[in-house]
Amino acid sequence: MGRRQYPWVMADVPWSDAQQFTRGTHLGLPLLSWGIAPRHLLATRRQLRAMNRRPGGHGPVALLYLRHNASKRKVFANLYLIAESVPCLPMTPAKWTALAKANLARRICGTCGKDVGYVVPTSTGLCWPCFEADDDTTSLAA
Ligand SMILES: [Zn+2]
């Protein structure tokens, strides 16, 4: 068994005047392990969204790491200062229109140009009939 990969380090952190225990740094940001991030000061983007807030142009101030046991992978999450976050802007008619346009574009087939009623796969950009027709021609040519 080797040494700890992320040993405990006392460090200056943006969310406290006093030095806090961290797990060192990762990508230049203080690294925190599960359970040591102060919940009332730091939040992930999704946690901010649940509070109807957003980072508001501020970058993450810390990284949280966890181990995903099923995949044996390490997962990093950006943590933002709740104090720096700003309220989410309400949806306007123009924003709804833009969203509808973007969703419509995802449903249009690249070959027949029709709104096929479902989101076409980004890997092919084709609706199912066009994909099958395309597949037939390649198999005939081969
Ligand atoms: Zn099509």
Side-chain angles (χ1 to χ4, degrees):
M1 294 305 243
R3 63 179 185 86
R4 273 178 189 274
Q5 188 180 7
Y6 300 117
W8 292 99
V9 180
M10 282 294 267
D12 290 315
V13 290
W15 60 89
S16 173
D17 294 330
Q19 287 206 325
Q20 299 291 316
F21 276 110
T22 69
R23 292 310 197 97
T25 57
H26 183 72
L27 303 172
L29 290 170
L31 186 64
L32 301 175
S33 50
W34 178 255
I36 69 167
R39 276 178 187 269
H40 60 292
L41 296 173
L42 298 173
T44 63
R45 192 178 277 268
R46 281 192 188 184
Q47 286 168 338
L48 286 178
R49 191 74 182 92
M51 296 182 255
N52 244 324
R53 301 184 72 79
R54 61 199 164 97
H58 296 283
V61 293
L63 287 169
L64 174 73
Y65 82 94
L66 3 136
R67 233 178 299 276
H68 186 241
N69 279 328
S71 66
K72 303 289 176 211
R73 278 195 200 144
K74 224 175 287 159
V75 185
F76 292 92
N78 288 329
L79 292 177
Y80 300 87
L81 279 177
I82 295 173
E84 276 185 350
S85 67
V86 295
C88 284
L89 297 175
M91 289 297 279
T92 61
K95 280 176 82 172
W96 283 115
T97 309
L99 192 62
K101 260 193 206 170
N103 280 324
L104 173 66
R106 296 175 66 205
R107 296 194 306 265
I108 289 177
C109 167
T111 302
C112 62
K114 284 183 206 149
D115 177 357
V116 290
Y118 53 87
V119 174
V120 296
T122 50
S123 55
T124 59
L126 301 176
C127 68
W128 187 244
C130 289
F131 176 74
E132 280 200 315
D134 197 41
D135 204 40
D136 284 345
T137 51
T138 48
S139 58
L140 284 174

